[in-house]
Amino acid sequence: MNDNDLEKTQKTLLKNTLAMYREGLIFGSWGNLSCKLGEDKIIITPSALPYDNLQYTDMVVVDLETGTVVEGKWKPSSELPLHLAIYKSRRDVQAIVHTHSIFSSAFAVARQEIPVALEELAQLAGGNIPVAKYALPGSDKLADNAAKTLGTESFGVLLANHGLITVGEDLEAAAQRSRVIERNAQVLLWSNLLGTPGLLEKEEVKELRRKFLYFYGQHK
Ligand SMILES: [Zn+2]
């Protein structure tokens, strides 16, 4: 890992953090993002700094195994244990986005999983978004609950009475899943006002996901 790679990753992390903040999915400093830096380190947003003044050099490099700060002038996000637990349990995950977005949080408070109502959620997540049991923010227990509920297949997990976690093969993918889950949650709640929402069947979700993976976009 050279300095250019570090700077590039710091800038990508800043860009995605500011996007989530400006879109209202993160508010104040409630919400955090991270991504892998090589095989044995991660880079994560700092703890409790106002995001509107955030610079790429504020991002903190942490050792994946020990959780100690390798580089950076600030304390890492207080949800560091949560990020580390997910990277350790899911080797496929390269990036994590944690938001306190309103409609996803409504499901997290109701402690109800988010079912698949929109095609884009089926395409990007391939299934319902489960809820991890409540535990104190920043605690090892929360990290453990979230990693276990995320399991080996899910791309998102709600934290009871707290917010949403999404994972991905890079920051853009994890951020886009966060947006799509939030839209799906919002549409479902509005749809409830009109009557009983019609949800996609498991087989329909599978088919949408498969078509998206293998036939969508510019595939030849
Ligand atoms: Zn949080």
Side-chain angles (χ1 to χ4, degrees), residues 17-98:
T17 304
L18 292 181
M20 301 315 271
Y21 176 72
R22 287 176 186 141
E23 289 168 38
L25 301 169
I26 287 175
F27 82 100
S29 59
W30 286 279
N32 35 73
L33 286 80
S34 73
C35 64
K36 291 276 283 286
L37 192 65
E39 273 308 298
D40 54 0
K41 290 192 222 37
I42 68 161
I43 180 157
I44 188 163
T45 43
S47 179
L49 282 193
Y51 280 170
D52 40 6
N53 291 321
L54 209 60
Q55 307 294 315
Y56 75 88
T57 48
D58 293 329
M59 304 302 179
V60 188
V61 180
V62 172
D63 184 281
L64 175 56
E65 212 41 57
T66 61
T68 48
V69 173
V70 176
E71 200 166 328
K73 52 190 170 184
W74 305 106
K75 260 171 65 182
S77 162
S78 57
E79 291 297 1
L80 177 67
L82 181 60
H83 290 250
L84 294 177
I86 292 172
Y87 288 119
K88 284 179 189 169
S89 67
R90 283 279 293 269
R91 292 290 168 181
D92 60 310
V93 168
Q94 296 295 316
I96 299 173
V97 169
H98 168 47

Side-chain angles (χ1 to χ4, degrees), residues 67-166:
T68 48
V69 173
V70 176
E71 200 166 328
K73 52 190 170 184
W74 305 106
K75 260 171 65 182
S77 162
S78 57
E79 291 297 1
L80 177 67
L82 181 60
H83 290 250
L84 294 177
I86 292 172
Y87 288 119
K88 284 179 189 169
S89 67
R90 283 279 293 269
R91 292 290 168 181
D92 60 310
V93 168
Q94 296 295 316
I96 299 173
V97 169
H98 168 47
T99 58
H100 287 205
S101 44
I102 291 177
F103 295 97
S104 301
S105 297
F107 278 85
V109 168
R111 301 189 180 188
Q112 282 180 26
E113 65 174 11
I114 303 178
V116 183
L118 295 174
E119 58 157 10
E120 60 260 33
L121 184 59
Q123 290 169 335
L124 291 196
N128 297 354
I129 307 303
V131 192
K133 275 193 187 147
Y134 178 79
L136 267 186
S139 67
D140 290 338
K141 185 76 190 143
L142 178 68
D144 193 44
N145 291 351
K148 277 199 183 121
T149 307
L150 187 69
T152 55
E153 304 275 307
S154 289
F155 291 103
V157 60
L158 292 167
L159 309 175
N161 301 77
H162 183 162
L164 172 68
I165 296 275
T166 52

